[in-house]
Amino acid sequence: MSLVNLGHFCSHMQNASRARLSITSIMSSKLHLGIALALQDQGFISSVTRGDTAGPDAEETPTTQENISRRRLWLSLKYHDNEPVLSKMKLVSKPTKRIHMGVQGLQELAAGRPHDFVRPLEAGEIMLLLTDRGVILEARQAIGMRIGGQLLCRVR
Amino acid sequence: MSALPVRSWRCSASTILTILIAGTPYSNQNERGPPLTPPPPNTSLGGRQLTTTPPNPYRHRRSLKAKPESYTTPPPTPYTESEISKLSEYYTDAQLTSLLAGESVIDPTHFHHRHRRPDYDPMKLKYLDDLSTLDPILDTPSGPLTYTPGHPLQPLPRLKDLLTPSAANSATGDPPWMREASLKTGFSVADIRRLRTKVLVSHSVVNQTHMGKIRKMYCLAVAGNGNGLVGIGEGKSVEYSEAHRIATYLAVRNMMPVPRYEDRTIFGNLDIKVGAVELKLFNRPPGFGLRTSQYIFEIAKCLGLSDLSAKVSRSRNPMNVCKATIQALRSQKLPETIARGRGKKLVDVRKVYYNGAV
């Protein structure tokens, strides 16, 4: 569970959006896959595909000891009205300082009030957190399920 | 957009006992509390008053405060069969199923007891009266008074209008820059006269040429109609009056529509960097006021914002702050655009769930 690599993921998504790329690849890991699927669920990216360093897979390829070093996740970005849909993606928990939050704190953030030195959520902004259920949830989903977790990143 | 707050009743044993003894919360609100009208004079002692001071109707102020509707009305009950059959006269079966499904998601007791977070604004003025409606006697009439000719209170014509011969022919009485702006923008000259304009920045600038130092006056003006249009313009000339004129003319020409949330504040918070100016503009609740520095205040007034907060850091150069403010206001992202881009439905909880009360 590397926040360093997640930080690279966040920077790369911002750079790719600014460069108006249609499809981009990131390191394939369990955390990254969870975040990518959450982003797709929230409508920030349109597709998540497994692939190689060369490009997304044409057909399903199993990950083996031989090809694991070349495996990547390919995400396709969205643009609307001449603006990227995913324009900012920032870490909340850093490798040096992990931030955990319970349901009450998440409710404060969702209601537009700061809590525990975390800035509140703006309109159209989401907060992804790692829960002990083993799944990455958005803040409002976590509030509905009455669970908290480690805040990973915020996306708008 | 916002999550639905859920209250958690964490009581100790003693509080639970007191609640059980006193009865359920919100049960006797109809019997409790005196009426809101002042009480009648005390005539129980044979009509003899012991004091000449009239009783203050607001002495029981705390208990006189109006209780929310949820305290005085019973909570809503599920629809009966007759009600559903009446609804089906207006909605199709598919609409009805989706409506009932949507309503069933919300907890009815929580919806009934929804209340707003108390205001902790120390600058808020504490009024006893409800100022949402106009009092026929105490409030001056709103809008311009128009009297028909012959009415005793009709406005008298101004003396200078009678003395100048060009008053009759209004076309020649207008300044040429207004006529030019009217042609370019499509507004009538009367509309341009009614615009709110102000010179925000003016100073002299010097250009060193082979002939020597040429000193000119620079002006930056803002123009707006107070209802969604604002623009800025810069003018430079050897004479101050000419620079003022050019700046105002260009400000009127550069007016553009800027979206406003509820016609009083911006959509969300903005954080932009224009040149060396780092500008933060904050969306604020109704009644907050324009708590910004002077240049942003004037631009907000011309636009028609009534609630705004701003923070300017790094450079505070007046000219660049004005330009940054206009750029920031034009760079607002509407919730509709966000919703379309993400393919989601964004709901303003303040309007839908709290009915504009929060």
Side-chain angles (χ1 to χ4, degrees), chain B residues 82 93 121 144 160 197 199 212-213 231 234 247 250 257 265 301 347:
Chain B
S82 61
D93 286 339
D121 188 358
K160 65 177 174 134
T197 60
V199 168
K213 291 190 174 71
E234 299 165 286
L250 285 173
T265 187
K301 270 284 192 207
V347 168

Side-chain angles (χ1 to χ4, degrees), chain A residues 41-43 78 122 124 140, chain B residues 1-2 117 269 341-342 344:
Chain A
D41 190 44
Q42 294 295 324
K78 286 167 83 171
E122 301 276 335
R140 292 157 189 114
Chain B
M1 288 197 283
S2 295
R117 191 184 159 86
N269 299 338
R342 282 175 56 184
K344 297 277 171 187

